[in-house]
Amino acid sequence: MSDRDPRSDFPILARRVGSGEGKPLVYLDNAATTQKPIHVIETVDRFYRQENANIHRGVHYLSMNATDAYDRARERIAETIGAAHPAEVVFVRGTTEAINLVASSFAGDRFQPGDEIVITRMEHHANIVPWQLLAQKLGVVLKWAPVTDSGEIDLDAFRACFSEETKLAAFTQVSNALGTINPAKEMVAIAREFGAHVLVDGAQGVAHGMVNVADLGADFYAFSGHKVVGPDGIGVLWGRRELLDSMPPYQGGGDMIARVSVEKTTFRDSPERFEAGTPNISGAIGLGAAFDYLAGLGWDEIRRREQDVLDYATERLGEIEGIRILGPADTRGKVAVISFTMDSAHPHDIGTILDTEGIAIRAGHHCAQPLMDFYQIAGTARASFAFYNNRDDVDRLMDGIAKVKKFFG
Ligand code: PLP
């Protein structure tokens, strides 16, 4: 393991939280959003202090510079995710908007009543609700691939959901609620056997260095900047260029047009076609900076750190009686997320008591209610780790859980 401690790059990790003097923060809610390194904070700060201007069509210095920086961010991201061309990277608000864009512009434009879409029981609501809305509107049919008791996809059961009517499979690369790493490549291959298109929800996968869209072989890949140490309100829809160029616009407005006349409007190709209006310029530049930062740290190092903390936390939690960890038992089949229940305490009580100790976890259904229904529970307590967490954080979590046990027995 490298000697360099990335914690010092994240100013917020040095703060205390809570009333009075507070407690040193232990941030274990990274699946909800990650903290931001100085490099990203300073990049966004510098943009607003020195470089701010609207992009495209500006003939003045600042506008041209901002346009260059925005375009460079797109190129950086395209390179990082293995896109064939920067034009395949569409800036959106986040994963949710990316999936809605595909549902509206791709599926909404070409699917017919009776066409089928395969999703899985472990999806985040962002990859369920847009398809349900489409089902209501168009009469397409949703097929739900089941999960096993250990929260994994059984490929035979997944395959059984496909038919000649299947037009799209939309599934997550990594479960936000359990941490399960899905066999996404194999799932893409199954969808292809049936001639279906594929959208992969990369909201969780991207943070753990799992994105190479060329290798994955899907048609669309969606992720959010804020989950990968980047800013809020910026994300990416990657799509195959020929597909994007064949899709109608999602929203209309400035910047996405080739020509507007009284009679009609013609549109630009991707990505501008899908970026109507002034985009989140500082967000895109900040996201480029986030990927620069992560590349500097090294994805192998990031994964090594996360695996170490996951293995240690799993071992220590396993020692506590009355705790049930949901999801794959083998920590190599998951990312650094531990979703658990306690016999004696409700997840919200666990979260509240941990909070008094300065420990931030998430409690609830994690926007995955169909998965919670499968387990017949209302929710779980979820500790989700990033590369800047360490074994001391795990020890603090264990002390906090000991307090929960003392309180509830
Ligand atoms: N998909 C998954 C797997 C997620 O974990 C999340 C957020 O938690 C989303 C989609 C939605 O992401 P956002 O709220 O950034 O659009």
Side-chain angles (χ1 to χ4, degrees):
M1 210 177 270
S2 140
D3 287 343
R4 176 161 165 234
D5 186 353
R7 286 180 78 79
S8 55
D9 297 332
F10 292 79
I12 203 170
L13 298 179
R15 72 161 289 194
R16 302 173 80 90
V17 291
S19 53
E21 281 187 2
K23 298 270 168 64
L25 171 68
V26 174
Y27 186 76
L28 302 180
D29 196 16
N30 294 286
T33 201
T34 52
Q35 298 300 348
K36 318 304 171 201
I38 295 170
H39 180 61
V40 169
I41 297 168
E42 286 183 346
T43 299
V44 174
D45 181 79
R46 187 174 56 243
F47 177 77
Y48 282 123
R49 282 178 194 276
Q50 298 183 17
E51 299 161 358
N52 178 50
N54 208 335
I55 55 168
H56 298 151
R57 298 176 316 279
V59 292
H60 62 83
Y61 178 84
L62 283 182
S63 175
M64 288 187 288
N65 261 6
T67 304
D68 277 355
Y70 184 75
D71 292 344
R72 269 200 314 276
R74 196 192 304 278
E75 284 161 20
R76 179 70 173 115
I77 292 160
E79 182 195 320
T80 305
I81 68 172
H85 195 278
E88 298 189 332
V89 170
V90 178
F91 284 124
V92 289
R93 274 194 299 131
T95 312
T96 303
E97 185 171 51
I99 297 172
N100 277 279
L101 193 163
V102 175
S104 166
S105 178
F106 175 73
D109 185 53
R110 58 187 84 188
F111 289 9
Q112 306 289 328
D115 284 349
E116 293 176 1
I117 298 173
V118 174
I119 61 174
T120 83
R121 191 74 188 246
M122 68 167 78
E123 298 311 312
H124 185 282
H125 296 166
N127 198 28
I128 297 174
V129 184
W131 309 118
Q132 287 179 329
L133 291 171
L134 197 71
Q136 275 169 22
K137 194 170 153 195
L138 279 192
V140 297
V141 178
L142 282 193
K143 295 278 179 171
W144 292 78
V147 295
T148 63
D149 288 344
S150 57
E152 288 160 298
I153 296 294
D154 173 303
L155 288 176
D156 289 333
F158 180 72
R159 182 192 301 270
C161 296
F162 286 78
S163 75
E164 282 189 354
E165 313 309 322
T166 312
K167 294 292 180 292
L168 179 77
F171 55 84
T172 193
Q173 192 176 21
V174 169
S175 159
N176 66 306
L178 305 175
T180 316
I181 300 173
N182 284 327
K185 236 176 126 167
E186 286 87 337
M187 292 164 79
V188 171
I190 289 172
R192 294 293 190 220
E193 284 173 31
F194 291 84
H197 285 97
V198 185
L199 176 145
V200 175
D201 173 348
Q204 296 295 330
V206 71
H208 306 284
M210 286 177 198
V211 45
N212 182 315
V213 293
D215 185 52
L216 191 57
D219 297 297
F220 301 105
Y221 188 90
F223 66 90
S224 307
H226 70 96
K227 292 195 197 281
V228 61
V229 308
D232 303 325
I234 186 76
V236 165
L237 171 68
W238 169 83
R240 289 185 188 281
R241 201 171 178 189
E242 65 279 8
L243 268 185
L244 290 173
D245 284 341
S246 74
M247 288 158 51
Y250 173 52
Q251 294 174 333
D255 252 10
M256 46 79 75
I257 55 94
R259 175 89 176 90
V260 180
S261 70
V262 173
E263 290 76 27
K264 69 165 200 171
T265 296
T266 51
F267 307 110
R268 296 172 75 183
D269 287 341
S270 175
E272 288 83 7
R273 169 179 302 198
F274 301 106
E275 295 180 5
T278 301
N280 182 350
I281 304 165
S282 65
I285 294 169
L287 182 54
F291 280 121
D292 282 342
Y293 170 81
L294 294 169
L297 209 58
W299 285 106
D300 286 346
E301 177 68 5
I302 288 169
R303 280 189 286 263
R304 212 167 25 245
R305 284 179 175 277
E306 290 180 353
Q307 192 69 45
D308 179 68
V309 97
L310 173 65
D311 287 343
Y312 181 59
T314 305
E315 188 191 316
R316 295 238 26 217
L317 266 172
E319 293 162 2
I320 302 175
E321 225 175 275
I323 285 205
R324 173 185 174 211
I325 298 179
L326 285 87
D330 184 348
T331 57
R332 281 159 308 179
K334 62 191 282 198
V335 300
V337 166
I338 302 185
S339 209
F340 63 97
T341 56
M342 278 175 93
D343 287 348
S344 53
H346 188 278
H348 282 129
D349 295 328
I350 302 171
T352 305
I353 293 184
L354 291 178
D355 181 53
T356 63
E357 297 299 308
I359 303 161
I361 65 153
R362 190 148 291 245
H365 54 62
H366 317 298
C367 293
Q369 281 181 324
L371 182 66
M372 299 297 129
D373 290 345
F374 168 72
Y375 284 116
Q376 297 184 327
I377 53 177
T380 71
R382 182 187 72 184
S384 54
F385 302 86
F387 55 88
Y388 43 71
N389 291 119
N390 58 25
R391 288 180 175 223
D392 290 344
D393 290 339
V394 177
D395 291 340
R396 288 270 310 282
L397 174 67
M398 293 308 140
D399 292 347
I401 287 177
K403 214 168 161 190
V404 177
K405 281 211 85 159
K406 212 164 141 197
F407 202 84
F408 289 101

